[in-house]
């Protein structure tokens, strides 16, 4: 029996080039402002139109400021990129959700919440975190700009078929442990290259118990283990999440779609190229201490000592700790922090804001902490208001910004200053990722909230 990955992949194969790549049909292309301009230029140079424009959706997110979005963007580079996407979408007849549009937000938040990302689809975007959409049971992965052009021109892509891996996480997660902690745990276990060349299917009791938003977080981080993508077989939770969304099938079409989606699972005897199993009991709230997402520990643990690092990795390990200002063997609990960022395509959804609010309710933000709370979309911003979370957060000393990628990456105004510590719910902690010299500690919304209140790295279980 085939794996679910095989089922979806094989259904989309147009032709296989002998000793070469597979020509794969793509159901949905998402475009943002950073990786699409050269693709549009290439199309123009060749005098081509988009082959299936109705399957392409564009929106700016990386460069959008998270305040005063109704005014022109001040940064000239950001302004040019955002304006160029709008012009290109208009010229090529593509759907474009511009800044301040109620449909705008981070592309990987908007796709699932609008029902544009559906089970069984192949989905691509010129962005590594496209794997997020795998949470609905789609094969979704990031591509390069030349491949974006290829999809625009033909609705197909040339790809080598990845190997398949299943990661099972069994048991029940403990108090204060979130999908983000699960992902950070897996990255530490597998390292940032442990899943290279594989497409990962997540399974097991923990994954079944996860909400759709938790699954989106888990799949979002697949790329940080080196995987080509990650996904989860659709189930009743998936169908319930999609039902009634703007682009979800309706009426009879819905019944037909669900009947097909129910077949989207790996066979009982499916054989994976690699299979791994982990236990939920081993996972506690987590933080990173280094400069890649795999350099993480349980919040009560110590930074690894030098004798646990292999000889080849020692120099880069010490360089990483030097950048972060940490010592081998020390605990991070109690370390003073300067910034907190809640948001990104990893943790910018309504559940993340609910989680953050649950910790800070009735308390006050630490005076020295600068906190940026950035919804992943205008829909999330609306949900925050409708649920009264804005009042809870404002009473605790927090303000809610406008949607965008924000401080996940230093491509807009929200940059962490050099040398400052940021507890961030985003996906990457590379040197300079959040601003030149910025020091990033990746964590869940609960850990971020605890740090925002106490001003130091704190185990959120003490505040829950």
């Amino acid at each position: 029996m085939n794996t679910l990955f095989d089922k979806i992949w094989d259904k989309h194969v147009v032709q296989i080039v002998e000793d070469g790549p597979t020509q794969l049909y793509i159901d949905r292309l998402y475009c943002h402002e950073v990786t699409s301009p050269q693709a549009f230029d290439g199309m123009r140079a060749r005098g081509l139109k988009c082959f299936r424009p109705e399957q392409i959706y564009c929106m700016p997110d990386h460069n959008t400021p998270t305040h005063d979005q109704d005014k022109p963007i001040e940064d000239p580079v950001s302004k040019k990129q955002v304006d160029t996407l709008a012009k290109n979408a208009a010229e090529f007849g593509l759907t474009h959700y511009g800044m301040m549009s109620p449909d705008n937000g981070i592309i990987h938040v908007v796709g699932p919440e609008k029902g544009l990302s559906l089970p069984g689809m192949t989905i691509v975007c010129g962005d590594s975190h496209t794997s997020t959409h795998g949470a609905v049971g789609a094969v979704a992965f990031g591509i390069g700009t030349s491949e974006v052009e290829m999809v625009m021109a033909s609705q197909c892509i040339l790809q080598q078929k990845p190997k398949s891996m299943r990661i099972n996480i069994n048991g029940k997660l403990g108090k204060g442990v979130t999908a983000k902690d699960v992902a950070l745990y897996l990255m530490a276990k597998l390292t940032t290259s442990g899943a290279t060349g594989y497409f990962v299917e997540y399974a097991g009791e923990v994954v079944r118990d996860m909400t759709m938003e938790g699954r989106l977080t888990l799949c979002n981080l697949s790329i940080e283990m080196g995987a080509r993508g990650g996904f989860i077989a659709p189930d009743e939770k998936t169908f319930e999440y999609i039902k009634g969304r703007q682009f979800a099938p309706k009426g009879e079409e819905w019944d037909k779609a669900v009947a097909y989606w129910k077949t989207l699972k790996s066979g009982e005897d499916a054989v994976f190229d690699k299979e791994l199993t982990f236990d939920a009991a081993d996972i506690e709230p987590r933080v990173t201490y280094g400069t890649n997402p795999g350099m993480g520990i349980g919040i009560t643990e110590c930074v690894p000592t030098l004798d646990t690092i292999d000889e080849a990795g020692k120099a880069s390990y010490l360089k990483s700790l030097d950048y972060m200002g940490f010592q081998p063997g020390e605990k991070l609990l109690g370390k003073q922090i300067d910034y907190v960022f809640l948001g990104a395509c990893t943790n910018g959804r309504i559940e993340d804001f609910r989680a953050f609010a649950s910790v800070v309710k009735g308390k006050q933000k630490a005076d020295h902490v600068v906190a940026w709370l950035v919804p992943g979309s205008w829909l999330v911003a609306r949900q925050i208001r409708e649920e009264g979370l804005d009042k809870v957060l404002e009473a605790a000393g927090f303000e809610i910004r406008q949607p965008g990628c924000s401080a996940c990456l230093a491509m807009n105004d929200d940059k962490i200053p050099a040398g400052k510590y940021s507890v961030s719910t985003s996906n990457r902690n590379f040197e300079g990722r959040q601003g030149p010299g910025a020091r990033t500690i990746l964590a869940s919304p609960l850990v971020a909230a605890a740090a925002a209140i106490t001003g130091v790295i704190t185990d959120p279980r003490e505040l829950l």
Side-chain angles (χ1 to χ4, degrees):
M1 277 287 283
N2 284 351
T3 65
L4 172 54
F5 180 73
D6 290 329
K7 286 182 186 176
I8 298 174
W9 181 277
D10 294 349
K11 200 173 183 204
H12 288 79
V13 170
V14 178
Q15 62 171 335
I16 295 170
V17 180
E18 205 177 328
D19 297 328
T22 302
Q23 184 186 8
L24 195 70
Y25 183 77
I26 299 300
D27 293 306
R28 183 84 67 223
L29 168 66
Y30 294 124
C31 287
H32 60 62
E33 74 277 28
V34 181
T35 53
S36 64
Q38 299 88 340
F40 282 112
D41 285 347
M43 294 285 284
R44 216 174 269 118
R46 293 193 289 156
L48 295 175
K49 288 185 164 62
C50 289
F51 180 60
R52 297 219 160 133
E54 70 284 355
Q55 282 163 246
I56 305 173
Y57 286 77
C58 308
M59 74 192 74
D61 53 14
H62 284 56
N63 289 285
T64 54
T66 58
H67 54 86
D68 300 330
Q69 284 191 12
D70 50 345
K71 300 193 176 90
I73 298 175
E74 285 175 21
D75 177 59
V77 177
S78 292
K79 185 175 188 325
K80 185 172 186 189
Q81 288 197 311
V82 171
D83 291 350
T84 301
L85 180 65
K87 281 193 202 110
N88 282 330
E91 182 185 334
F92 286 85
L94 306 178
T95 303
H96 174 258
Y97 298 137
M99 259 167 53
M100 293 298 292
S101 146
D103 301 301
N104 177 259
I106 304 172
I107 213 154
H108 306 314
V109 174
V110 174
E113 75 182 12
K114 292 190 85 62
L116 283 166
S117 304
L118 298 171
M121 277 187 166
T122 48
I123 300 170
V124 295
C125 174
D127 187 285
S128 50
H129 294 104
T130 308
S131 57
T132 312
H133 306 267
V136 302
V139 166
F141 52 93
I143 57 175
T145 299
S146 60
E147 295 169 307
V148 172
E149 186 183 338
M150 198 185 291
V151 179
M152 286 176 178
S154 66
Q155 209 56 40
C156 291
I157 193 171
L158 295 175
Q159 282 285 298
Q160 296 287 359
K161 185 177 181 180
K163 291 180 289 189
S164 64
M165 181 192 290
R166 181 159 64 189
I167 295 179
N168 306 293
I169 311 138
N170 295 324
K172 297 268 184 208
L173 293 177
K175 185 172 97 166
V177 182
T178 69
K180 180 65 165 284
D181 300 302
V182 173
L184 289 170
Y185 174 81
L186 293 176
M187 285 184 255
K189 287 290 178 199
L190 271 81
T191 75
T192 47
S193 59
T196 301
Y198 291 92
F199 219 94
V200 176
E201 179 178 342
Y202 297 102
E205 190 183 355
V206 166
V207 177
R208 284 195 297 277
D209 286 348
M210 265 181 201
T211 62
M212 279 304 295
E213 304 216 334
R215 293 175 186 184
L216 287 157
T217 296
L218 180 61
C219 291
N220 173 272
L221 289 153
S222 307
I223 189 77
E224 308 306 339
M225 305 184 296
R228 196 70 189 88
F231 71 129
I232 294 165
D235 58 13
E236 290 303 326
K237 272 187 189 167
T238 320
F239 312 147
E240 202 179 302
Y241 174 85
I242 295 167
K243 193 171 189 178
R245 292 186 184 266
Q246 187 180 346
F247 291 96
K250 306 282 189 289
E252 259 177 62
E253 289 300 310
W254 170 258
D255 299 334
K256 271 202 304 214
V258 172
Y260 165 58
W261 295 343
K262 284 181 173 170
T263 68
L264 295 176
K265 49 179 177 278
S266 293
E268 290 295 316
D269 48 1
V271 179
F272 292 82
D273 295 304
K274 192 170 188 177
E275 187 148 16
L276 300 169
T277 300
F278 298 96
D279 186 348
D282 298 333
I283 309 174
E284 66 171 345
R286 293 183 71 83
V287 286
T288 59
Y289 59 84
T291 53
N292 74 53
M295 297 177 82
I297 50 174
I299 198 154
T300 61
E301 294 174 349
C302 299
V303 174
T305 50
L306 217 47
D307 57 357
T308 62
I309 308 297
D310 65 32
E311 213 45 56
K314 274 183 182 164
S316 71
Y317 181 71
L318 287 170
K319 178 176 180 279
S320 192
L321 287 193
D322 182 54
Y323 180 86
M324 291 299 292
F326 295 147
Q327 297 297 321
E330 75 171 326
K331 278 203 160 178
L332 296 192
L333 273 178
K335 280 266 176 205
Q336 187 166 320
I337 58 106
D338 309 291
Y339 281 74
V340 165
F341 170 52
L342 173 67
C345 58
T346 317
N347 285 119
R349 297 176 185 84
I350 187 63
E351 274 180 21
D352 302 309
F353 280 82
R354 286 178 195 146
F356 193 97
S358 73
V359 174
V360 306
K361 188 174 185 175
K363 303 181 181 74
Q364 278 298 306
K365 178 181 78 64
D367 287 343
H368 71 272
V369 171
V370 177
W372 290 331
L373 276 48
V374 186
S377 70
W378 283 98
L379 174 63
V380 174
R382 199 160 71 241
Q383 289 171 312
I384 290 168
R385 282 198 310 278
E386 283 166 3
E387 295 185 17
L389 296 178
D390 55 336
K391 301 281 186 288
V392 173
L393 295 164
E394 280 158 19
F398 298 92
E399 65 158 321
I400 294 157
R401 296 168 84 90
Q402 292 174 319
C405 290
S406 184
C408 174
L409 77 176
M411 290 185 87
N412 51 68
D413 304 343
D414 300 350
K415 295 178 179 65
I416 309 297
K420 297 293 185 192
Y421 286 103
S422 157
V423 174
S424 176
T425 65
S426 53
N427 40 48
R428 288 187 169 161
N429 54 346
F430 305 153
E431 289 190 17
R433 169 80 177 180
Q434 291 196 290
R439 293 162 160 172
T440 302
I441 295 156
L442 298 179
S444 75
L446 294 177
V447 173
I453 292 298
T454 60
V456 297
I457 295 176
T458 302
D459 189 334
R461 292 172 293 192
E462 292 172 14
L463 300 180
L464 287 174

